[in-house]
Amino acid sequence: IFDPNIDPDGVYTYTITGTSPCPDATATVTINVTPFMEAGENGAITLCTTDAPVDLFNSLGGTPDSGGTWSPALASGTGVFNPNIDSAGTYTYTTSPGGTCDDDSAIVIVTIETPPNAGNDSTVNLCSLDNTIDLFNNLGGTPDVGGTWSPALASGTGVFDPNIDPEGTYTYTLTSVVCGDVSASVTVTVNDANNAGSNGVAELCENDPPIDLFNSLNDTPDTGGTWSPALASGTGVFDPSIDSAGTYTYTVSNSTSLCPDDSATVIVSVLLEPN
């Protein structure tokens, strides 16, 4: 009894001992044992399109023998899979030992993920009086949804409120276990609203000294505004002996700001000196 798993191949001689005067009789059996080649066990791998090429042989389970073939064929002509070229799918590794041994095969299922797209960096200028905006809509390119913003906004989402959230750089991040995280940012500038204060009044006698109408405005107006109609002083200084009573408008504007102009008035009354 020959056991190919235990006994070595070779020439085996069968002998019958002869009875005098007949000699012994022999015959031989030559046995060739072809080693069986294992293809291993099924496996799977997930790659990103930006990953470096990998050898699918290393994704087989068990103890596969080398020397097999892969189908369908890969661009490399070997078992090296390039996620930038080769397609996702099922790849079969087959060993063919020949002789009386059967072929053996195992598969590797390859999944390819595309890296997420966070879009491109951008900037946005706002006025503190503006309505809320969604920072996602201000990213460049074609970003994917589902990311997170940092630092966190008061809305808990990507909605920016210029009346609450501070200006600065906000980063949008998408997370991928396979391809890694990607991010893009929106730099937000918030311009303070122009403030001309609130309306005021000034009552003067015609012989009073000049006054600065700015001091007759209420609340906390910004400096640097302009008065209309123009005063004889060329500034906001009202001289009751020269300038006429009436309504004077103070306007604050900033050509570099996105905020609208703001204005307030001072109603000036000039009383005649008693005679």
Side-chain angles (χ1 to χ4, degrees):
I1 302 299
F2 181 90
D3 187 342
N5 292 293
I6 302 174
D7 299 312
D9 57 3
V11 178
Y12 288 84
T13 302
Y14 178 68
T15 302
I16 295 179
T17 303
T19 301
S20 181
C22 294
D24 295 345
T26 62
T28 61
V29 176
T30 301
I31 299 179
N32 293 313
V33 178
T34 302
F36 180 73
M37 297 175 62
E38 291 191 9
E41 299 175 0
N42 298 338
I45 187 173
T46 300
L47 301 171
C48 183
T49 54
T50 57
D51 284 342
V54 297
D55 192 339
L56 294 184
F57 184 85
N58 298 326
S59 295
L60 290 166
T63 55
D65 293 317
S66 59
T69 57
W70 289 93
S71 63
L74 296 162
S76 64
T78 65
V80 174
F81 183 96
N82 187 339
N84 292 291
I85 302 175
D86 299 308
S87 302
T90 299
Y91 290 84
T92 303
Y93 179 69
T94 302
T95 55
S96 302
T100 58
C101 296
D102 294 329
D103 293 349
D104 193 29
S105 63
I107 62 171
V108 173
I109 299 174
V110 181
T111 302
I112 299 178
E113 290 190 5
T114 302
N117 180 10
N120 301 322
D121 297 343
S122 66
T123 59
V124 60
N125 292 313
L126 300 173
C127 178
S128 59
L129 299 175
D130 286 342
N131 295 324
T132 59
I133 64 167
D134 192 338
L135 294 183
F136 182 85
N137 297 330
N138 288 274
L139 288 166
T142 54
D144 298 328
V145 298
T148 57
W149 288 94
S150 63
L153 295 160
S155 63
T157 64
V159 174
F160 182 94
D161 187 341
N163 294 290
I164 301 174
D165 299 306
E167 65 180 7
T169 299
Y170 291 84
T171 302
Y172 180 70
T173 302
L174 289 163
T175 301
S176 171
V177 175
V178 176
C179 295
D181 296 350
V182 293
S183 62
S185 62
V186 177
T187 300
V188 182
T189 300
V190 178
N191 297 279
D192 292 332
N194 295 310
N195 180 15
S198 57
N199 299 337
V201 295
E203 291 185 351
L204 302 171
C205 183
E206 63 179 349
N207 62 357
D208 281 342
I211 65 168
D212 191 340
L213 293 184
F214 184 86
N215 298 325
S216 296
L217 292 165
N218 293 309
D219 298 324
T220 54
D222 297 333
T223 60
T226 58
W227 289 94
S228 64
L231 296 161
S233 64
T235 64
V237 175
F238 182 94
D239 187 341
S241 65
I242 302 174
D243 298 307
S244 301
T247 300
Y248 289 85
T249 302
Y250 179 70
T251 302
V252 178
S253 62
N254 186 343
S255 61
T256 62
S257 171
L258 296 177
C259 297
D261 295 350
D262 192 36
S263 62
T265 63
V266 174
I267 299 174
V268 181
S269 300
V270 178
L271 304 178
L272 296 177
E273 180 185 5
N275 184 355

